[in-house]
Amino acid sequence: MTDTTRAGIGLDFHRLTEGESLVLGGVEFDHHKGTVAHSDGDVLVHAICDAILGAASLGDIGVQFPDDDPAYKDISSMKLLKKVLEKVDVKGFNLLNVDSTLIIQEPKLGSSRAQMTENLEDLLGIPVNVKATSTERLGFIGRGDGVGAQAIAVLEKEESSE
Ligand code: MG
């Protein structure tokens, strides 16, 4: 990395509850449980938002989009990600790449993983990688009571803004 290249990490978890909707990477899943959240609870997109904000020293998603602000009630997290991209652009950063891992026991992602990747690449305009792991049925994620995600983003400062 050069001195104009910055990396950021993101980590997020959400509770899964009967009857809520489950959206991951902008894909809605047909599953009996979904995330409990102020927004649509897209844990993968939240981790990516935090990674990008972290690389730009812009705090985190809770700072930028407070969960007591009615403007963000049930908002699509993909819309929040677009706003994040605008914020880092204003600070003179270009996004170079994003890598991410969903930590989920069920449902199995199957072909939805390719759709998540496509959704994210279309919105961000850079290469995005979406990986997935279970916790081998250990802990709250393994019991299907929660879902998690982590992400890393690399940004480059535009030379003209140095
Ligand atoms: Mg979250």
Side-chain angles (χ1 to χ4, degrees), residues 14-18 31-34 104-107 135 137-147:
H14 280 270
R15 185 187 302 270
L16 288 173
T17 299
E18 294 285 345
H31 188 55
H32 62 102
K33 285 183 171 181
I104 185 167
Q105 191 68 50
E106 57 181 21
T135 62
R137 302 213 169 270
L138 294 169
F140 69 94
I141 290 176
R143 290 191 302 271
D145 292 337
V147 59

Side-chain angles (χ1 to χ4, degrees), residues 20-65:
E20 297 283 341
S21 62
L22 179 63
V23 180
L24 300 169
V27 176
E28 184 153 6
F29 283 78
D30 184 13
H31 188 55
H32 62 102
K33 285 183 171 181
T35 49
V36 178
H38 185 66
S39 68
D40 67 359
D42 190 327
V43 69
L44 177 62
V45 173
H46 291 182
I48 291 172
C49 285
D50 270 358
I52 296 170
L53 290 169
S57 303
L58 283 170
D60 64 26
I61 195 169
V63 169
Q64 296 290 344
F65 311 109

Side-chain angles (χ1 to χ4, degrees), residues 9-154:
I9 59 170
L11 180 67
D12 195 28
F13 299 95
H14 280 270
R15 185 187 302 270
L16 288 173
T17 299
E18 294 285 345
E20 297 283 341
S21 62
L22 179 63
V23 180
L24 300 169
V27 176
E28 184 153 6
F29 283 78
D30 184 13
H31 188 55
H32 62 102
K33 285 183 171 181
T35 49
V36 178
H38 185 66
S39 68
D40 67 359
D42 190 327
V43 69
L44 177 62
V45 173
H46 291 182
I48 291 172
C49 285
D50 270 358
I52 296 170
L53 290 169
S57 303
L58 283 170
D60 64 26
I61 195 169
V63 169
Q64 296 290 344
F65 311 109
D67 65 7
D68 57 359
D69 186 334
Y72 305 122
K73 178 87 179 107
D74 296 328
I75 193 171
S76 162
S77 297
M78 295 293 275
K79 285 185 181 165
L80 297 181
L81 182 55
K82 190 159 189 282
K83 289 176 185 288
V84 164
L85 203 57
E86 289 162 4
K87 286 176 188 290
V88 299
D89 184 56
V90 165
K91 282 196 78 175
F93 287 105
N94 291 320
L95 186 56
L96 295 184
N97 83 298
V98 166
D99 187 21
S100 62
T101 304
L102 261 172
I103 310 161
I104 185 167
Q105 191 68 50
E106 57 181 21
K108 296 298 174 201
L109 302 179
S111 60
S112 298
R113 185 153 32 148
Q115 186 61 56
M116 289 183 224
T117 304
E118 188 178 326
N119 290 348
L120 291 162
E121 289 190 336
D122 283 352
L123 191 141
L124 296 174
I126 47 101
V128 175
N129 194 58
V130 179
K131 306 188 297 298
T133 186
S134 75
T135 62
E136 303 272 326
R137 302 213 169 270
L138 294 169
F140 69 94
I141 290 176
R143 290 191 302 271
D145 292 337
V147 59
Q150 64 175 179
I152 184 166
V154 177

